[in-house]
Amino acid sequence: MDGGPAPIRVVLADDHALLRDGVAGLIANMPAVTVVGEAENGAQAIEMYRHLVPDILLLDLQMPVMGGLEVIETLLRDFPDARIIVLTTYHGDVQAMRAMRAGARGYLLKSGLRRELGEAIRQVHAGRRVIQPEIAAAMAVGAINDALSPRECQVLKLAASGNANRQIAHLLGVTEETVKTHMRSILSKLDAKDRTHAVTIALRRGIIEL
């Protein structure tokens, strides 16, 4: 007797139990999809993936112990065909690009899971990539803009923590004039009016995290 195709086996990794319960509840109502494991931090996600080798890993980017990007990179070294869908509250185009470059197959905002999760799981399981249109549009715009250099990211992150130019110069071992030069470049690249505006833009796009 033919029981039909085997269900798509999913591991869910998120540090918020309520979110895991909500997503598991959504999946419970999907035909031919089943949750086979849940992880509450990045290291546990890797361990569970190695043990269960699911068809799909649903992964939060902001995870304790080991972040989502590191999880993606670690798993793909041993499981190059791993199908990973990032679930996030984060609208940042830079964060999305980092996840997709690391090897994620999908990027979904948690606010849209009720409408889009089932189809995303099926599409990624079939070998396709899935990115919500608003995230794809932000990535396209962001790709046009000049990216900040690693040093500029350092300067902006220190500025976001409340440090003045002189303090930033001391912390980085450079002159205050060098910091000012970096800041002018940052404002130009982000099309920001001032440093506070630059910090706001960088946080929104995922260029820096606090």
Side-chain angles (χ1 to χ4, degrees):
M1 192 166 116
D2 185 5
I8 299 170
R9 299 165 64 252
V10 174
V11 163
L12 172 58
D14 194 290
D15 59 323
H16 293 98
L18 283 175
L19 189 283
R20 292 199 308 274
D21 289 347
V23 173
L26 285 175
I27 291 175
N29 292 314
M30 294 177 189
V33 184
T34 184
V35 174
V36 295
E38 296 184 23
E40 61 185 27
N41 63 57
Q44 199 177 82
I46 289 175
E47 182 182 347
M48 193 164 290
Y49 191 99
R50 292 186 193 281
H51 177 64
L52 297 171
V53 193
D55 299 305
I56 300 283
L57 172 62
L58 300 179
L59 177 69
D60 185 18
L61 277 187
Q62 310 300 322
M63 296 275 279
V65 184
M66 181 184 287
L69 287 177
E70 191 177 353
V71 170
I72 295 168
E73 290 164 354
T74 300
L75 281 177
L76 286 173
R77 280 198 294 269
D78 293 338
F79 301 91
D81 294 327
R83 289 174 166 84
I84 301 169
I85 300 175
V86 169
L87 307 182
T88 183
T89 56
Y90 218 61
H91 288 71
D93 62 286
V94 173
Q95 201 79 328
M97 280 192 279
R98 286 172 184 158
M100 300 307 284
R101 283 173 182 159
R105 303 287 187 93
Y107 194 95
L108 298 179
L109 294 174
K110 291 176 181 177
S111 58
L113 293 186
R114 188 172 295 278
R115 299 185 310 275
E116 303 183 40
L117 181 60
E119 183 61 19
I121 287 173
R122 286 185 284 274
Q123 291 287 340
V124 169
H125 184 251
R128 302 181 184 92
R129 293 181 183 274
V130 175
I131 306 174
Q132 285 169 309
E134 60 267 42
I135 298 297
M139 288 171 68
V141 172
I144 296 169
N145 297 331
D146 289 328
L148 299 189
S149 70
R151 178 61 97 183
E152 288 167 348
C153 288
Q154 281 182 306
V155 168
L156 193 55
K157 192 166 184 177
L158 288 169
S161 298
N163 294 287
N165 286 347
R166 183 174 297 178
Q167 293 168 302
I168 295 171
H170 175 72
L171 289 167
L172 295 180
V174 298
T175 66
E176 189 174 350
E177 190 54 44
T178 297
V179 173
K180 289 179 181 177
T181 299
H182 285 314
M183 194 59 70
R184 283 194 292 270
S185 175
I186 290 165
L187 295 181
S188 173
K189 287 181 177 182
L190 297 183
D191 194 23
K193 297 189 290 289
D194 52 39
R195 60 199 289 152
T196 301
H197 189 207
V199 167
T200 302
I201 293 169
L203 287 171
R204 187 183 71 238
R205 291 185 55 198
I207 296 170
I208 62 170
E209 297 174 38
L210 294 181

